[in-house]
Amino acid sequence: MRIITLVAAAIFVLATSCKDEKKQSTAPQGGRQQAPMTVVGYIVKTGSVSEPVQLPGSLLPMEETQIQAEVSGRVVSHSINEGAYVNKGALLVKLFDGDLQAQLKKLQVQLQIAEKTEERNKELLKISGISQQDYDLSFLQVSNIKADIELLRTNIVKTEIRAPFNGKIGFRNISNGAYITPSTIITSLRQLSQMKLQFSVPEKYTSKIRIGQTISFSTEGSNRKFIAKVYATESTVSETTRGLNVRCMVQQNDAALVPGSFAKVDMDFARNDNAILVPAQAILPQARGKKLILYRDGVAKFVDVQTGIRDSANVEITGGVVPGDTIITTGLLGLKPEAKVKLSKVQ
């Protein structure tokens, strides 16, 4: 009986110790589930955000044209100094006009005779010595000769090729004695006192371009910044490049700006000084969107958000939260909706 009693006592002690161990092993685990997770909070604020874009462009002269003759003829003389500046109206090329000058002298003699005849007929008409019709014929002859003289003088002017505006002469393609036609390119003329800038804006940014808008640009091989002002845009978007051509007036007159040079245009199409910004690590990507975790009275609330521009540290929020909300930025993967949280600090 003593042996049976000892065995029963041992079994009771063993069962009691196992039960205590089980309680000790399960009690801490249940406590950890109930304890709030410690996280870092961030108060949503507004700030500046932008999307800088650099576009290729080209510098153009204010005016540019190829000098060509209106009529065919032989070059008698020229005053084209390559690379020199000329004023508007300066004589560049003179074509042979000897035959036209001879015709002009002939008509001038005929005009003198016709005018004297008209004067005599006018006196005879006063005394009824001739009919009105005879006088009118003499007057018509004078008018016809004058018209022929004006036409001939116009043709003579066409043998003088002059500069249409102030500018810099390009290379000369003709010499004295050369026979040229209206299709012959004699030289080129560019107005460099004022420069233009042309570039193409991607289709999605066309609504951001405004007449009078100021932009900055730089040229290849230089970090100097120049200023230009938008004065015109194309009426349609190019079907090949899907871009809108824009022209600007360069505000500086600098020798470093050469027509045809490549330009780097700096644009900032999406600048917003009152954007809602949150740290990039607070965003939770989802299969069909993005979420943020809000801190509300010690509970984690998952909300859907819409995002905009992203930079190296922050993301623009366009919908879902408002300034002043507190979001959670740490321990995101370990949180579930409605989980209890405790803030260790707020940024």
Side-chain angles (χ1 to χ4, degrees):
M1 290 297 293
R2 178 179 291 183
I3 295 173
I4 295 173
T5 302
L6 291 174
V7 171
I11 293 174
F12 176 77
V13 172
L14 181 61
T16 302
S17 64
C18 290
K19 187 176 180 180
D20 292 339
E21 289 178 0
K22 184 176 180 182
K23 288 181 179 180
Q24 291 176 359
S25 63
T26 58
Q29 184 176 358
R32 286 196 299 270
Q33 289 177 348
Q34 297 298 322
M37 178 182 287
T38 302
V39 295
V40 174
Y42 177 87
I43 299 177
V44 178
K45 310 177 185 69
T46 60
S48 296
V49 66
S50 62
E51 187 178 9
V53 178
Q54 192 171 80
L55 302 173
S58 297
L59 287 173
L60 305 173
M62 186 62 187
E63 301 290 346
E64 181 178 15
T65 187
Q66 293 178 334
I67 304 298
Q68 295 171 270
E70 291 188 63
V71 296
S72 300
R74 177 169 53 85
V75 177
V76 175
S77 63
H78 71 81
S79 56
I80 300 176
N81 296 320
E82 297 173 324
Y85 285 89
V86 296
N87 295 323
K88 180 180 179 179
L91 181 63
L92 301 178
V93 177
K94 175 62 179 175
L95 301 181
F96 177 77
D97 64 351
D99 52 343
L100 298 178
Q101 293 290 350
Q103 294 178 35
L104 178 61
K105 290 180 180 178
K106 178 181 178 180
L107 288 176
Q108 288 173 339
V109 172
Q110 292 177 356
L111 178 61
Q112 292 177 357
I113 297 174
E115 286 178 339
K116 291 180 180 179
T117 301
E118 187 265 338
E119 291 176 1
R120 287 195 298 267
N121 288 343
K122 186 176 183 179
E123 296 298 327
L124 290 174
L125 181 63
K126 290 180 181 180
I127 61 175
S128 300
I130 59 172
S131 64
Q132 182 67 43
Q133 182 179 6
D134 291 336
Y135 172 75
D136 291 341
L137 289 174
S138 62
F139 181 80
L140 178 61
Q141 185 177 10
V142 172
S143 299
N144 286 338
I145 295 174
K146 287 182 178 180
D148 291 340
I149 290 175
E150 289 301 318
L151 178 61
L152 203 56
R153 283 175 175 166
T154 301
N155 290 333
I156 292 174
V157 170
K158 290 181 180 180
T159 64
E160 298 175 349
I161 304 169
R162 299 181 180 273
F165 50 81
N166 298 342
K168 186 177 182 180
I169 290 289
F171 291 156
R172 173 169 54 88
N173 300 321
I174 54 97
S175 299
N176 288 340
Y179 185 85
I180 64 174
T181 66
S183 62
T184 303
I185 298 176
I186 299 171
T187 187
S188 60
L189 182 65
R190 297 178 179 87
Q191 189 180 78
L192 304 181
S193 58
Q194 181 72 60
M195 299 289 289
K196 295 185 291 187
L197 172 68
Q198 179 172 311
F199 61 96
S200 180
V201 175
E203 185 176 1
K204 67 177 182 177
Y205 297 128
T206 54
S207 61
K208 304 292 185 180
I209 295 295
R210 304 181 307 276
I211 301 300
Q213 180 178 353
T214 300
I215 64 170
S216 65
F217 71 96
S218 60
T219 56
E220 190 69 19
S222 173
N223 293 325
R224 288 184 58 191
K225 293 293 184 180
F226 299 95
I227 302 299
K229 189 173 290 186
V230 177
Y231 75 89
T233 62
E234 281 283 11
S235 57
T236 58
V237 173
S238 172
E239 294 182 359
T240 55
T241 63
R242 308 313 305 176
L244 180 71
N245 288 329
V246 179
R247 280 195 176 180
C248 309
M249 196 75 69
V250 178
Q251 301 302 298
Q252 295 102 321
N253 183 13
D254 197 296
L257 300 177
V258 181
S261 296
F262 176 78
K264 294 177 286 187
V265 182
D266 299 317
M267 301 293 292
D268 194 351
F269 294 108
R271 184 172 183 82
N272 184 358
D273 293 328
N274 293 309
I276 299 174
L277 301 177
V278 300
Q281 69 268 20
I283 300 292
L284 289 174
Q286 304 292 314
R288 295 186 177 180
K290 298 173 183 176
K291 289 182 181 292
L292 282 175
I293 304 178
L294 289 179
Y295 175 82
R296 294 270 177 87
D297 299 326
V299 177
K301 299 285 186 179
F302 284 65
V303 294
D304 294 317
V305 293
Q306 295 78 46
T307 59
I309 299 171
R310 178 188 293 266
D311 60 22
S312 59
N314 299 313
V315 178
E316 179 188 14
I317 303 298
T318 59
V321 296
V322 296
D325 286 343
T326 300
I327 63 172
I328 299 172
T329 59
T330 62
L332 305 181
L333 298 180
L335 287 175
K336 293 182 179 180
E338 305 301 325
K340 293 183 179 181
V341 291
K342 181 176 68 174
L343 297 180
S344 62
K345 67 175 180 177
V346 178
Q347 298 175 338

